[in-house]
Amino acid sequence: MMYKRLLSAALLTLSAVPASADDHGCGNVTIADMNWNSASLIANIDQFILEHGYGCDAELVPGDTMPTGTSMIEKGEPDIAPEFWSNSMREGLQRGIDEGRIRYAGQAFVEGGEEGFWVPKYMVDQHPELKTISGVKANADLFPHPEDPSKAAFYGCPAGWSCQITSENNFKALDLADSGFEIVDPGSGAGLAGSIAKAYEREEAWFGYYWAPTAVLGKYEMVKVDFETGTDVEHYKSCITSDECITSKATMYPAADVETVVTERFAKRAPEAMTYIENRGFTNDQMNGLLAWMEDNQADGEYAMINFLINHEDIWTQWVPNDVASKVKDAL
């Protein structure tokens, strides 16, 4: 009886071993597991698919934007940074590309990161004019300040974040103060998210800055306010993003580049795995929903990866050939 148990355990162990790394010439692959939910989820998905679908010996390593980018450029490791907000390190990344050390490998978020000023959908349902900034300004009395009802509240980005600069420059450029609005500092990212959750649970007014993909916009249906200005990408980059911007003019936020960065060594060594990386990408609605699920279930990147691969075959099977998809399903 003991022999049968040991044999069963051995067979189970063998069945869990990925195909030889030589199957696709993939070898050892290191993947940056960044310290926020969406990046950790994508890193775990990449690890599982590369290991079980392409025979890579894939390993997750801790990561964060600046240190990971610098290490990839200077040391050639890790091999993959699945979710890289590249505008934060554009010059350094370009140097790495010019020197033949790294390359971009497709979009982690196919629509780019999304930023803007938002109001709850239930408010727009009652007051359709709130879809535009002129409608918000004309109805400033609908957004009472929590500490002074004689003023209107605009929830800004937490102090010290780069979005504090952009949101305050757009606040000034839109002349929101002239309409009675005052910026509310939420104190932290959690405070800003909490202010939306509190408003939604009570169906109260809310107007402020937020971004996607995030769990908040996955759980709460918000409407992005149209500035009625269009998007001036050059002015946004040269002035709105600068704390020295004096003559700012309002502009909608351009989509933020959120890309996957890989080393040239990996791209050349594992072309089939590289094709998967180039094909893999999420819409903001898809990721918003996944992040909301992670928050509701207190799930880490690994647990969320299993949920995703089991329940969202319609998404990930589009990224890989049928034979690879079969191997991944067998591994699950």
Side-chain angles (χ1 to χ4, degrees), residues 2 13 20 23 50 58 61 82 139 150 159 165 179 206 281 292 298 317:
M2 180 62 71
T13 302
S20 168
D23 286 356
L50 289 176
V61 297
N139 292 276
S150 68
I165 297 171
S179 298
W206 193 92
Q298 298 183 331
T317 54

Side-chain angles (χ1 to χ4, degrees), residues 92-105:
L93 293 174
Q94 189 58 52
R95 176 170 62 84
I97 292 171
D98 293 342
E99 294 175 356
R101 298 171 183 267
I102 60 172
R103 71 168 74 170
Y104 295 119

Side-chain angles (χ1 to χ4, degrees), residues 29-36 38-44 46-47 50 59-73 76-86 88-89 93 101-109 257-264 266-267 274 276-278 280:
V29 180
T30 50
I31 304 168
D33 187 0
M34 305 285 203
N35 58 358
W36 60 92
S38 57
S40 184
L41 170 59
I42 300 174
N44 275 274
D46 286 351
Q47 181 195 32
L50 289 176
E59 175 190 4
L60 295 181
V61 297
D64 203 351
T65 301
M66 298 302 285
T68 294
T70 300
S71 180
M72 292 180 77
I73 295 166
E77 56 186 32
D79 294 295
I80 304 170
E83 181 189 324
F84 207 104
W85 292 68
S86 48
S88 62
M89 198 179 175
L93 293 174
R101 298 171 183 267
I102 60 172
R103 71 168 74 170
Y104 295 119
Q107 301 287 330
F109 302 138
D257 293 327
V258 187
E259 296 158 303
T260 297
V261 179
V262 303
T263 60
E264 276 293 337
F266 167 77
M274 181 67 177
Y276 153 71
I277 294 294
E278 292 172 333
R280 188 262 295 121

Side-chain angles (χ1 to χ4, degrees), residues 215 219 289-299:
K219 295 174 68 173
L290 293 170
L291 292 173
W293 185 92
M294 289 182 73
E295 184 171 292
D296 288 343
N297 291 276
Q298 298 183 331

Side-chain angles (χ1 to χ4, degrees), residues 17-262:
V17 174
S20 168
D22 293 334
D23 286 356
H24 291 267
C26 187
N28 296 327
V29 180
T30 50
I31 304 168
D33 187 0
M34 305 285 203
N35 58 358
W36 60 92
N37 279 351
S38 57
S40 184
L41 170 59
I42 300 174
N44 275 274
I45 292 170
D46 286 351
Q47 181 195 32
F48 197 92
I49 289 179
L50 289 176
E51 182 174 333
H52 296 283
Y54 291 91
C56 305
D57 184 6
E59 175 190 4
L60 295 181
V61 297
D64 203 351
T65 301
M66 298 302 285
T68 294
T70 300
S71 180
M72 292 180 77
I73 295 166
E74 296 181 356
K75 300 178 181 178
E77 56 186 32
D79 294 295
I80 304 170
E83 181 189 324
F84 207 104
W85 292 68
S86 48
N87 283 345
S88 62
M89 198 179 175
R90 182 66 69 185
E91 291 184 8
L93 293 174
Q94 189 58 52
R95 176 170 62 84
I97 292 171
D98 293 342
E99 294 175 356
R101 298 171 183 267
I102 60 172
R103 71 168 74 170
Y104 295 119
Q107 301 287 330
F109 302 138
V110 296
E111 299 160 319
E114 186 177 15
E115 299 175 89
F117 293 0
W118 308 76
V119 294
K121 183 177 182 297
Y122 54 77
M123 294 193 70
V124 175
D125 289 341
Q126 296 177 11
H127 305 278
E129 64 272 22
L130 297 181
K131 291 187 292 186
T132 65
I133 198 66
S134 58
V136 169
K137 292 165 70 173
N139 292 276
D141 59 317
L142 293 177
F143 304 92
H145 194 287
E147 298 176 359
D148 184 354
S150 68
K151 299 178 181 178
F154 170 83
Y155 287 84
C157 195
W161 291 25
S162 60
C163 54
Q164 181 190 26
I165 297 171
T166 61
S167 60
E168 290 187 359
N169 279 335
N170 262 327
F171 180 92
K172 289 184 289 186
L174 291 165
D175 297 321
L176 286 171
D178 293 345
S179 298
F181 283 94
E182 185 174 279
I183 296 175
V184 176
D185 183 352
S188 66
L192 183 59
S195 70
I196 296 177
K198 179 181 177 182
Y200 232 90
E201 288 164 3
R202 302 179 180 183
E203 289 207 359
E204 295 177 343
W206 193 92
F207 171 52
Y209 168 90
Y210 217 72
W211 71 97
T214 50
V216 166
L217 294 187
K219 295 174 68 173
Y220 307 111
E221 196 168 0
M222 305 288 283
V223 175
K224 184 162 68 172
V225 176
D226 186 349
F227 290 174
E228 302 167 291
T229 60
T231 305
D232 187 335
V233 177
E234 289 306 314
H235 180 73
Y236 176 82
K237 291 180 178 179
S238 64
C239 194
I240 296 297
T241 58
S242 172
D243 57 4
E244 298 178 356
C245 179
I246 299 174
T247 57
S248 62
K249 64 177 182 178
T251 172
M252 294 291 283
Y253 287 82
D257 293 327
V258 187
E259 296 158 303
T260 297
V261 179
V262 303

